[in-house]
Amino acid sequence: MDIAYIPSPSTGVIHLGPIPLRGYAFCIIIGVFVAVWLGNKRWIARGGKPGTVADIAVWAVPFGLVGGRLYHVITDYQLYFGEGRNWVDAFKIWEGGLGIWGAIALGAVGAWIGCRLRGIPLPAWADALAPGIALAQAIGRWGNWFNQELYGRATDLPWAVEISAGPNRDAGTYHPTFLYESLWCIGVAVLVIWADRRFKLGHGRAFALYVAAYCVGRGWIEYMRVDEAHHILGVRLNVWTSIAVFVLAVVYFVLSAKLRPGREEVVEPDRSGGGDGKDKAEADDKAKAEADDKAKAEVDDKAQAAVEATDAGPKDSAPALAPRTDTTVAQGAVKADLRKPAVDAEAPEADKS
């Protein structure tokens, strides 16, 4: 009797001429776009500006990819630095191998840099992006299906995934743990959206809820996996990591609710009023340019007034000086006339004597 199962792709790459299109990378790219799209909508609803989420994602995504790869290579170093292995394979990210813990940790560093440059609080941005990250993980897990990885114990359930024979794997049907995690992440996204609307989560609590809820699912899904992994006290390393991160997320959620209840009133300050980094410099330059233009206009006005006063000066002063000159001359003539008869009158008397 034929057993129902989910078939796996015969190949994880399709060549479009010389260009290889890899299913794993394609799923990650789609997930990033979905996360940014949903995060942008939530950010605008919180009072933020369109495009801010994408601007910060430019920092967060590359950091996250590097962090995810580093975590995978460090925790599974034997795959790249063991006997007969080629360390160059550690750079072949398209072949799979991204650790969510490293991606979130180093991605947060990139997001912090972006938030600092935009002058906005990192927790508010993380709250807006939280459900989008969960959906991005849900989509990205299907990249594991293309690579025939991330499966659990053998099973004959109708939804088992078929795995073909290959390096470090046997042909058969197994629990599709990639599918379980994908569905769990969709549930986490729905939970965060509902809780955020119901309780008005703020100051990073929506993100903390996402982290805690994801860790719960990752713990039991990780326990089902049969691929090679490091163990501590008989338990897979990622199970311990899930427990530790879950505790940290819950502690943050509780303390944040007590210390900073409610939600941020303003998530993105008006950039025209100042800001950090580039925005503040641009605002200062603009204000300085406006002040320089105003000062130049005042100088031009004063210069124009001085020119007009110079042109009008001789026309106004000439009539004023002319009457004074004529009057002076006339008065001198009168005085001369008055003195002249006196001289003429005295002259005959002198002759008579």
Side-chain angles (χ1 to χ4, degrees):
M1 181 178 66
D2 294 335
I3 300 177
Y5 56 83
I6 300 173
S8 292
S10 58
T11 179
V13 57
I14 299 176
H15 287 85
L16 187 62
I19 303 175
L21 302 178
R22 303 183 184 278
Y24 186 84
F26 193 59
C27 290
I28 292 177
I29 293 173
I30 294 177
V32 170
F33 275 101
V34 170
V36 172
W37 169 78
L38 180 58
N40 185 65
K41 291 176 65 67
R42 286 171 52 80
W43 183 253
I44 294 174
R46 290 283 304 274
K49 298 179 181 180
T52 298
V53 169
D55 290 343
I56 298 174
V58 171
W59 288 90
V61 172
F63 274 73
L65 290 175
V66 173
R69 188 60 175 178
L70 282 175
Y71 181 89
H72 168 73
V73 172
I74 292 173
T75 56
D76 290 308
Y77 63 87
Q78 72 282 353
L79 299 178
Y80 308 100
F81 303 102
E83 185 178 355
R85 302 288 184 172
N86 186 358
W87 62 271
V88 176
D89 293 341
F91 296 95
K92 297 179 180 179
I93 191 173
W94 56 86
E95 293 183 354
L98 288 175
I100 185 61
W101 315 114
I104 293 296
L106 206 55
V109 175
W112 177 80
I113 296 174
C115 288
R116 287 283 297 175
L117 294 176
R118 293 299 294 261
I120 65 176
L122 174 61
W125 184 84
D127 283 342
L129 204 66
I133 296 177
L135 290 179
Q137 289 179 253
I139 297 171
R141 278 310 180 194
W142 284 91
N144 301 121
W145 176 61
F146 281 98
N147 287 350
Q148 295 196 40
E149 58 188 6
L150 198 61
Y151 52 88
R153 295 185 293 270
T155 182
D156 58 357
L157 292 171
W159 56 83
V161 63
E162 180 191 28
I163 299 297
S164 60
N168 300 321
R169 67 175 187 239
D170 298 325
T173 55
Y174 300 87
H175 277 284
T177 51
F178 76 89
L179 175 61
Y180 298 159
E181 186 167 337
S182 178
L183 295 175
W184 182 269
C185 288
I186 293 175
V188 171
V190 173
L191 172 65
V192 173
I193 293 174
W194 171 83
D196 191 31
R197 292 178 178 177
R198 175 67 176 80
F199 303 104
K200 304 296 181 183
L201 301 177
H203 301 286
R205 289 189 288 278
F207 185 81
L209 177 62
Y210 144 72
V211 173
Y214 171 75
C215 288
V216 172
R218 180 60 183 267
W220 67 265
I221 294 173
E222 185 74 21
Y223 192 75
M224 296 179 63
R225 292 172 60 174
V226 294
D227 54 309
E228 185 178 357
H230 293 285
H231 289 71
I232 300 176
L233 300 178
V235 179
R236 293 171 66 96
L237 175 60
N238 281 331
V239 175
W240 287 111
T241 305
S242 298
I243 295 173
V245 175
F246 171 82
V247 172
L248 292 175
V250 172
V251 170
Y252 178 88
F253 189 97
V254 174
L255 292 179
S256 176
K258 291 183 178 180
L259 298 176
R260 308 186 69 183
R263 175 185 282 182
E264 299 92 341
E265 294 293 334
V266 178
V267 296
E268 187 169 5
D270 187 2
R271 297 177 62 187
S272 62
D276 291 340
K278 181 179 178 181
D279 296 335
K280 185 175 181 179
E282 291 178 353
D284 292 342
D285 292 342
K286 183 178 180 181
K288 184 178 179 180
E290 292 176 352
D292 292 342
D293 292 341
K294 185 177 180 180
K296 183 179 180 181
E298 292 178 354
V299 172
D300 292 342
D301 291 342
K302 291 180 179 179
Q304 183 65 26
V307 172
E308 293 176 354
T310 302
D311 294 341
K315 296 179 181 178
D316 294 339
S317 60
L321 294 175
R324 289 196 297 270
T325 303
D326 295 343
T327 301
T328 304
V329 174
Q331 290 176 350
V334 171
K335 291 180 180 179
D337 292 340
L338 290 176
R339 289 194 297 270
K340 185 175 181 181
V343 174
D344 292 344
E346 293 175 353
E349 294 181 355
D351 293 340
K352 291 178 180 180
S353 60

